[in-house]
Amino acid sequence: MNKNNNSSILLCAVIAGLALPVQASAIKQSKGDFEDKFRQLDVDLPTPNVYRNAAGEPGNQYWQQQVDYQIKASLNEDKRRLEAEQTVTYTNNSPDTLKYLWLQLDQNYYKADSIATRTRTFSSPSELASSVNGKPTKISLKTLRGQQFLADNEVGYQIGDVTVDGTPLRVTIVGTNMRIDLLEPLKPGKEVEFELNYAFNITDQKAVGGRSGYEHFPDDKRDGGNDIFQLAQWFPRLHAYTDYEAWTNKAFLGSGEFTLEFGDYDVEITVPADHIVAATGELTNASSVLNKTQRKRFEKSKTSKRPVFIVTEAEALENELAATNSTKTWHFEAENVRDFAWASSRKFMWDAKGYQQQSAERPLVMAMSFYPKEGGDLWKKYSTESIIHTMEVYSKYSFDYPYPTAQSINGPVGGMEYPMITFNGPRTELQEDGSRTYTLSEKRFLIGVVIHEIGHIYFPMIVNSDERQWTWMDEGLNSFLDSVAKREWETESHWAREPRDIVEYMKSTVQVPVMTQSDSVLKLGPNAYTKPAVALDILREVVLGRELFDFAFKEYANRWKYKRPTPSDFFRTMEEASGVDLDWFWRGWFYSTDHVDISIDKVYKLRMNTKNPDIDFARERQMEQDKPTPIAIERNKEQGLKSWIDLNPDVTDFYESNDEYTVTNKERNKYNKFIKKLEPWERDVIQRAIKEDKNYYVLEFSNLGGLVMPILLQLTYEDGSVEQLNIPAEIWRRSPKSVNKLIVSDKVLREVEIDPSWQTADVDINNNYFPRRIIPSRIEAYKKEKSKAKVKRDIMQDIKTELKTEEDEESNSGKAG
């Protein structure tokens, strides 16, 4: 990547601290069809400046805003309503004077007049049960349930007064955004404190989806059932004001998540007295909300080998039956976080275990899990342990975990992250005998989702990327690391994201570049999670190697810890710290929809012409003899036909014992004269080549997918030996569509294979072999049946059933005897 711009205009822009994009239109191929896959990416990236330098580091004048919150919130369980008041202190660290502030009102996303609601299309698989010629014929019950809930309930914020020292401020609400006009402009280095109160009705997450809400359990024995509340995006939060975009006040449409500022939080949460609350930060009033036994258990958990229950299952079951009109207020404080979330329920059991890390800043972290009886042994065994495993792995590749707690909460949200707290969904299945079992896939789902969501506390809750614009910067980077953690959890099982997992998406036509804005991405999972994760895996394992990649990635994490990186900062840091030009890689994987499909088309075997007629003519004779005998001659022999020569042996001449490959002295003399004219070094080269008698192979490759990549070769020789050869991607720099490569060996080549371990997400392995192979597949005899929903195998329950059947049979057999 070219770090310098020669334009004097751009130089002035850098000095002024502006981030002007370089215009790439000056580079145009007007003749021929050559495409420079290695064109420097700086023509597309923002120009380095005093805020973000050319090395991908925060510049010497980097800044970001500080926003501190004091909040008092009250949960009305019966009405499923939240009421709160908050004081916000906004510190302007930017060089700009601000006349107004923008806040996020994410609860307005559900309102009928929101952009998200008015532009929601009826086309996703979850909404269409079936269709005819592309037209919907049925509506899913889940869709109807969501529509009914929104029709029956008032949703969105009710905003009260917004004041500064009692003086009301002018407020303008624009969908999911709210502008507060300040009484006087806020100059650089100054702060303003304002107050506001608000309320909203909490949504039924199972009905309308989303990242927060409540889940109702009508079958609990308590009159009216019970609820689990997961509260996120619950308070009006300041939009980020950045050096690259100013106010990041794009409407919340669902996919693009959050762009937030760091700050300190002081939050008081009033809930029914029998509720257990988990939240971002540390609990400061344990003596008021926990009993003596619970506090002792908590102290014990700090040094325990396995998680200790602060609230046991029996106590949680007892709470489920309780009824109370009294309340408790839980008080939490959190420093230097970019958001705050919490959960509350009487159904929660709570376990904890201390995680000791080699960090002077935070030597002890409390890993904790909160879950109802529906979590069963699956949560008891693996949730908190998965939290600790995540911190152990992620810290190796980034930085030590800096916060006092890391929590996993089971509720309606399948997987979502916030500072120090995550919402995770898997449950166990209740069987007829009252036991709870889980499938292998559910076990891996729980471990995997906990790793992923706790990993998000690193990216983007600490390395604070802009999720509203670039989903891949948190989901993709985190998915890459969660795969690293999964492989370190269980080395033999392939349940991490691998290059093979992205093949179908890569070759599909329903694609957009990874750099597409979050809300415009067509397939969020493959595009924002799997593709960038696989790309980074390939970058680590194939392109850079682990040593260079791990150093550069850790450098990126530490440079941007508690700061806000952009894609250009990541790209530049990875290149600058590794010392390898990666512009071709970013352009192909992140800016295009090309895919990997490298074909081995031909292999030519060559042999050096020695000029020595005794050697070369003998080789030519052997080549002629190795050719197949013409079929007509073979059939003549089969019929016993004799040739004229055979029938007339008395007629002979010189050519009966000499052929076109017979060497004459004239040719030998010519060769000797040729040798004498050579320089000594030239004579030595030829004589060495004759002595070594190497095999020369020219391999012909074509790039059918457009995405340039290293060519990973496996060469198999006739003696059974195998050689691995990694040809760097730069082989395509002058001819991105086809290239030839010379391979010299003293062995006879039998087979060539491209990417034998499936490391590059090559979409067509059929053309990866020379000679071509028969590609194995599977064919099954079947009887066409009506389609049925796929049922997960519950091996645990199946074996329990088998054992019980065997016991019953033995018992019956004994009775019969």
Side-chain angles (χ1 to χ4, degrees):
M1 191 183 301
N2 184 3
K3 302 294 195 302
N4 299 308
N5 292 301
N6 296 323
S7 168
S8 59
I9 296 176
L10 293 177
L11 180 60
C12 293
V14 172
I15 294 174
L18 303 176
L20 300 178
V22 181
Q23 296 300 316
S25 58
I27 301 175
K28 184 178 181 181
Q29 182 73 17
S30 56
K31 293 181 179 179
D33 61 353
F34 174 74
E35 183 180 0
D36 185 6
K37 299 284 187 175
F38 293 83
R39 184 165 61 100
Q40 293 299 286
L41 195 60
D42 266 3
V43 298
D44 300 303
L45 297 181
T47 304
N49 53 59
V50 295
Y51 309 130
R52 301 166 187 276
N53 69 26
E57 294 179 297
N60 57 24
Q61 295 183 38
Y62 176 84
W63 56 267
Q64 63 187 33
Q65 310 292 56
Q66 168 89 11
V67 187
D68 302 322
Y69 297 85
Q70 288 181 299
I71 307 175
K72 293 183 178 181
S74 179
L75 172 65
N76 187 320
E77 182 178 22
D78 293 336
K79 294 182 179 181
R80 299 188 179 111
R81 181 175 174 82
L82 186 84
E83 298 180 350
E85 58 184 38
Q86 66 187 42
T87 300
V88 181
T89 303
Y90 188 93
T91 303
N92 182 14
N93 294 319
S94 80
D96 306 322
T97 297
L98 306 179
K99 294 181 292 184
Y100 46 78
L101 307 177
W102 279 101
L103 281 75
Q104 303 182 48
L105 302 182
D106 291 348
Q107 291 296 320
N108 286 1
Y109 166 84
Y110 301 103
K111 294 173 73 72
D113 62 351
S114 74
I115 294 178
T117 300
R118 288 184 290 145
T119 60
R120 188 168 294 124
T121 57
F122 191 70
S123 59
S124 70
S126 63
E127 293 176 325
L128 294 184
S130 63
S131 63
V132 175
N133 297 326
K135 297 180 180 180
T137 60
K138 295 180 181 179
I139 301 176
S140 71
L141 290 176
K142 184 175 181 180
T143 299
L144 284 176
R145 179 185 178 189
Q147 294 290 329
Q148 291 167 355
F149 178 88
L150 294 175
D152 295 342
N153 293 273
E154 182 181 0
V155 292
Y157 283 108
Q158 292 102 54
I159 300 293
D161 290 337
V162 181
T163 61
V164 172
D165 294 330
T167 302
L169 299 180
R170 181 183 176 184
V171 170
T172 302
I173 295 178
V174 185
T176 59
N177 295 325
M178 177 171 71
R179 191 187 74 233
I180 298 176
D181 297 336
L182 300 175
L183 296 176
E184 58 184 41
L186 185 62
K187 295 183 178 180
K190 301 298 182 180
E191 66 179 40
V192 62
E193 183 177 283
F194 63 92
E195 299 83 28
L196 72 157
N197 57 75
Y198 52 92
F200 64 88
N201 296 320
I202 303 168
T203 55
D204 180 347
Q205 199 278 339
K206 293 299 184 182
V208 302
R211 294 171 172 84
S212 64
Y214 71 85
E215 177 182 10
H216 185 55
F217 294 81
D219 295 333
D220 282 357
K221 295 180 180 179
R222 180 177 180 268
D223 185 29
N226 285 303
D227 295 315
I228 292 178
F229 294 90
Q230 290 181 323
L231 277 299
Q233 302 162 252
W234 60 281
F235 61 100
R237 303 171 296 172
L238 266 296
H239 272 291
Y241 184 81
T242 71
D243 60 275
Y244 59 82
E245 193 185 2
W247 286 107
T248 57
N249 54 358
K250 187 180 185 302
F252 178 51
L253 302 181
S255 293
E257 293 181 356
F258 325 119
T259 310
L260 301 165
E261 306 283 12
F262 284 100
D264 297 335
Y265 285 73
D266 186 315
V267 182
E268 296 179 22
I269 304 169
T270 301
V271 298
D274 53 2
H275 273 218
I276 298 295
V277 178
T280 296
E282 283 187 289
L283 179 64
T284 65
N285 66 333
S287 60
S288 300
V289 295
L290 302 181
N291 60 42
K292 186 177 180 180
T293 300
Q294 291 167 339
R295 297 197 300 273
K296 284 184 177 180
R297 292 170 179 169
F298 187 81
E299 287 301 314
K300 180 181 177 182
S301 70
K302 293 179 180 179
T303 56
S304 62
K305 182 179 180 180
R306 294 291 176 220
V308 172
F309 279 95
I310 315 305
V311 177
T312 68
E313 181 173 12
E315 291 165 346
L317 290 173
E318 185 178 346
N319 281 344
E320 281 193 3
L321 303 175
T324 179
N325 293 321
S326 60
T327 61
K328 285 184 180 178
T329 298
W330 296 61
H331 187 188
F332 295 90
E333 292 182 354
E335 295 181 358
N336 204 21
V337 295
R338 54 163 253 174
D339 202 355
F340 190 102
W342 55 284
S344 182
S345 180
R346 65 176 52 82
K347 290 176 64 66
F348 284 151
M349 59 184 90
W350 169 13
D351 71 48
K353 176 182 172 180
Y355 166 54
Q356 302 288 338
Q357 60 180 356
Q358 302 299 317
S359 170
E361 178 186 3
R362 188 69 61 184
L364 176 65
V365 180
M366 293 307 300
M368 302 187 291
S369 297
F370 299 76
Y371 47 95
K373 62 179 182 296
E374 288 79 6
D377 284 347
L378 178 62
W379 274 74
K380 293 175 186 176
K381 289 181 178 179
Y382 296 117
S383 178
T384 298
E385 296 291 358
S386 299
I387 295 172
I388 293 174
H389 175 73
T390 307
M391 292 188 287
E392 289 174 338
V393 174
Y394 274 62
S395 295
K396 289 192 297 185
Y397 301 104
S398 57
F399 41 75
D400 284 337
Y401 188 85
Y403 294 132
T405 64
Q407 302 163 74
S408 171
I409 317 299
N410 181 249
V413 179
M416 193 59 203
E417 76 284 352
Y418 302 93
M420 300 186 233
I421 188 170
T422 63
F423 299 160
N424 303 305
R427 300 254 171 87
T428 55
E429 190 72 24
L430 181 64
Q431 304 300 328
E432 292 182 0
D433 62 0
S435 65
R436 289 186 174 274
T437 59
Y438 48 88
T439 65
L440 178 60
S441 62
E442 287 166 342
K443 173 185 173 180
R444 288 177 175 170
F445 179 23
L446 174 65
I447 297 169
V449 74
V450 172
I451 290 173
H452 183 83
E453 304 306 340
I454 293 294
H456 269 312
I457 301 178
Y458 292 79
F459 304 90
M461 295 299 145
I462 298 171
V463 180
N464 185 23
S465 57
D466 186 344
E467 303 166 76
R468 185 60 52 89
Q469 294 202 62
W470 305 295
T471 300
W472 72 266
M473 284 200 75
D474 67 293
E475 298 296 355
L477 268 64
N478 186 47
S479 294
F480 159 72
L481 273 184
D482 83 40
S483 290
V484 174
K486 286 176 182 176
R487 296 185 194 106
E488 294 192 25
W489 177 279
E490 186 178 4
T491 57
E492 297 302 322
S493 296
H494 304 293
W495 54 300
R497 290 176 178 85
E498 303 293 346
R500 67 190 69 177
D501 298 329
I502 198 64
V503 166
E504 292 303 317
Y505 175 71
M506 292 289 283
K507 66 184 180 183
S508 74
T509 56
V510 187
Q511 280 194 75
V512 293
V514 170
M515 286 292 290
T516 301
Q517 194 273 334
S518 298
D519 290 301
S520 299
V521 172
L522 298 182
K523 293 197 173 202
L524 193 67
N527 179 279
Y529 293 70
T530 309
K531 184 177 177 179
V534 164
L536 294 178
D537 183 74
I538 292 172
L539 186 62
R540 184 183 190 228
E541 303 290 359
V542 176
V543 179
L544 292 179
R546 291 190 174 189
E547 182 178 359
L548 289 180
F549 180 93
D550 292 350
F551 176 84
F553 192 87
K554 191 163 189 172
E555 181 70 13
Y556 165 75
N558 282 277
R559 282 181 179 183
W560 293 97
K561 180 181 180 182
Y562 299 123
K563 296 182 177 66
R564 181 178 290 109
T566 65
S568 60
D569 300 316
F570 177 69
F571 297 151
R572 284 169 168 150
T573 294
M574 291 300 294
E575 180 171 315
E576 192 268 346
S578 70
V580 179
D581 185 353
L582 299 172
D583 288 22
W584 62 270
F585 187 86
W586 309 128
R587 188 180 298 283
W589 279 94
F590 290 80
Y591 286 84
S592 84
T593 55
D594 290 345
H595 60 261
V596 181
D597 185 6
I598 300 174
S599 171
I600 173 73
D601 298 326
K602 296 177 183 177
V603 177
Y604 300 95
K605 182 179 180 180
L606 308 179
R607 210 168 189 183
M608 181 179 174
N609 191 335
T610 69
K611 300 288 188 179
N612 186 335
D614 288 301
I615 296 175
D616 292 346
F617 281 25
R619 289 176 177 174
E620 290 179 25
R621 177 184 287 115
Q622 187 62 50
M623 289 174 63
E624 184 64 27
Q625 292 173 352
D626 289 341
K627 293 179 181 178
T629 303
I631 188 66
I633 291 178
E634 287 288 348
R635 289 175 178 170
N636 284 347
K637 290 179 181 179
E638 292 172 2
Q639 292 179 358
L641 295 177
K642 290 188 176 182
S643 68
W644 186 92
I645 291 176
D646 293 332
L647 295 172
N648 299 277
D650 59 316
V651 181
T652 62
D653 66 4
F654 173 82
Y655 291 108
E656 296 303 319
S657 56
N658 295 277
D659 60 14
E660 62 266 40
Y661 303 110
T662 298
V663 181
T664 67
N665 286 332
K666 179 180 179 180
E667 289 158 337
R668 290 189 180 100
N669 292 334
K670 183 179 179 181
Y671 169 70
N672 290 331
K673 288 179 182 179
F674 165 73
I675 290 294
K676 288 179 181 179
K677 290 180 181 180
L678 296 177
E679 296 289 336
W681 69 268
E682 295 174 322
R683 193 178 303 117
D684 291 341
V685 168
I686 289 180
Q687 290 175 346
R688 179 178 175 183
I690 294 172
K691 182 179 179 180
E692 293 178 346
D693 194 20
K694 296 283 188 180
N695 297 297
Y696 297 84
Y697 298 95
V698 175
L699 280 57
E700 185 177 292
F701 303 98
S702 57
N703 181 2
L704 304 179
L707 185 54
V708 295
M709 284 292 288
I711 305 176
L712 307 185
L713 289 181
Q714 178 171 287
L715 307 176
T716 303
Y717 298 98
E718 283 193 348
D719 63 2
S721 61
V722 176
E723 180 184 1
Q724 306 291 336
L725 188 64
N726 187 332
I727 304 173
E730 282 76 6
I731 192 174
W732 304 99
R733 64 190 182 277
R734 294 190 181 92
S735 181
K737 295 180 180 179
S738 62
V739 292
N740 295 334
K741 178 65 178 176
L742 175 65
I743 304 293
V744 182
S745 176
D746 55 1
K747 300 179 182 181
V748 177
L749 188 61
R750 187 178 72 198
E751 182 185 63
V752 179
E753 182 178 356
I754 297 174
D755 193 11
S757 299
W758 298 0
Q759 298 179 71
T760 64
D762 193 311
V763 305
D764 184 4
I765 63 171
N766 295 349
N767 57 29
N768 286 11
Y769 305 98
F770 195 93
R772 292 288 187 254
R773 286 183 181 177
I774 296 175
I775 305 300
S777 185
R778 184 175 69 173
I779 185 168
E780 295 179 353
Y782 73 97
K783 178 181 178 181
K784 188 172 182 180
E785 299 177 353
K786 293 181 179 179
S787 62
K788 298 178 181 179
K790 186 176 180 181
V791 179
K792 295 179 180 178
R793 295 176 61 221
D794 190 342
I795 302 171
M796 186 184 299
Q797 180 61 25
D798 289 348
I799 291 176
K800 284 179 63 179
T801 302
E802 290 170 6
L803 290 174
K804 188 175 188 306
T805 301
E806 291 173 3
E807 290 173 358
D808 291 343
E809 289 176 352
E810 290 177 3
S811 176
N812 293 333
S813 175
K815 291 177 181 178

